[in-house]
Amino acid sequence: MKRAIFPGSFDPLTLGHYDIIKRGITLFDELVIAIGINAEKKYMFDLEVRKQFIVETFKNESKIKVMTYKGLTVDFCKKVEADFILRGLRNPADFEFEKAIAHTNRSLSEIETVFLLTSSRTSFISSSIVRDVIRHGGDYTGLVPEIVRVP
């Protein structure tokens, strides 16, 4: 079985994440959406809300599991017996950042990182941009899946 994890904070889930997840499930037998917990980080949405956004969005996708984890991503991969990490790339800066992480993860374990380029229609979307739009009362409905569109 080819199992991959798609790690992130998903604060909140965006249409960019959605695009990578939908395309990723065509490549793997199972995709674990892994919500990382970082006590140092201040989140806009609490963990259970973020998890619920993802569970509801993909409730009809049998190949998707949603889990949370603390610590190193490679340790979580070992725990769930994943052989791949799935990551999305929006731009050259993402590539440089993700490349360094992939090399580090590879040096710590046998894990392979698979990169997918985001689609052109979602390549500008990031969770931090969405949070900024929400904070300032802007219309963020075209940036997130329907379930994330909270009043």
Side-chain angles (χ1 to χ4, degrees), residues 93-107 115:
D94 276 358
F95 173 73
E96 290 302 325
F97 178 74
E98 293 292 345
K99 179 177 76 166
I101 293 171
H103 285 312
T104 302
N105 287 339
R106 186 77 172 122
S107 74
F115 297 109

Side-chain angles (χ1 to χ4, degrees), residues 31-51:
L31 183 61
V32 177
I33 302 173
I35 307 169
I37 301 169
N38 182 345
E40 305 294 313
K41 197 170 179 182
K42 177 83 169 102
Y43 296 105
M44 177 173 273
F45 297 94
D46 74 32
L47 179 62
E48 283 308 311
V49 170
R50 289 180 281 143
K51 186 174 181 181

Side-chain angles (χ1 to χ4, degrees), residues 4 10 17 22 28 35 42-43 52 65 70 82 96 99 101 107 113 122 139 141 150-151:
F10 305 101
H17 295 129
K22 289 297 278 188
F28 302 103
I35 307 169
K42 177 83 169 102
Y43 296 105
Q52 197 58 36
K65 288 187 179 177
K70 291 181 183 178
E96 290 302 325
K99 179 177 76 166
I101 293 171
S107 74
T113 301
T122 62
D139 180 7
T141 57
V150 293

Side-chain angles (χ1 to χ4, degrees), residues 17-36:
H17 295 129
Y18 182 88
D19 173 62
I20 296 298
I21 292 165
K22 289 297 278 188
R23 290 167 47 219
I25 60 174
T26 67
L27 302 173
F28 302 103
D29 300 313
E30 183 176 87
L31 183 61
V32 177
I33 302 173
I35 307 169

Side-chain angles (χ1 to χ4, degrees), residues 81-96:
E81 298 178 342
D83 298 309
F84 303 93
I85 296 173
L86 176 64
R87 298 299 294 162
L89 299 174
R90 294 173 299 201
N91 54 49
D94 276 358
F95 173 73
E96 290 302 325

Side-chain angles (χ1 to χ4, degrees), residues 83-142:
D83 298 309
F84 303 93
I85 296 173
L86 176 64
R87 298 299 294 162
L89 299 174
R90 294 173 299 201
N91 54 49
D94 276 358
F95 173 73
E96 290 302 325
F97 178 74
E98 293 292 345
K99 179 177 76 166
I101 293 171
H103 285 312
T104 302
N105 287 339
R106 186 77 172 122
S107 74
L108 295 173
S109 71
E110 293 295 312
I111 199 80
E112 290 289 351
T113 301
V114 176
F115 297 109
L116 290 180
L117 298 177
T118 56
S119 67
S120 59
R121 71 182 190 289
T122 62
S123 64
F124 67 96
I125 302 172
S126 70
S127 291
S128 57
I129 287 172
V130 173
R131 289 191 305 272
D132 200 42
V133 172
I134 291 170
R135 265 190 222 100
H136 292 93
D139 180 7
Y140 62 98
T141 57

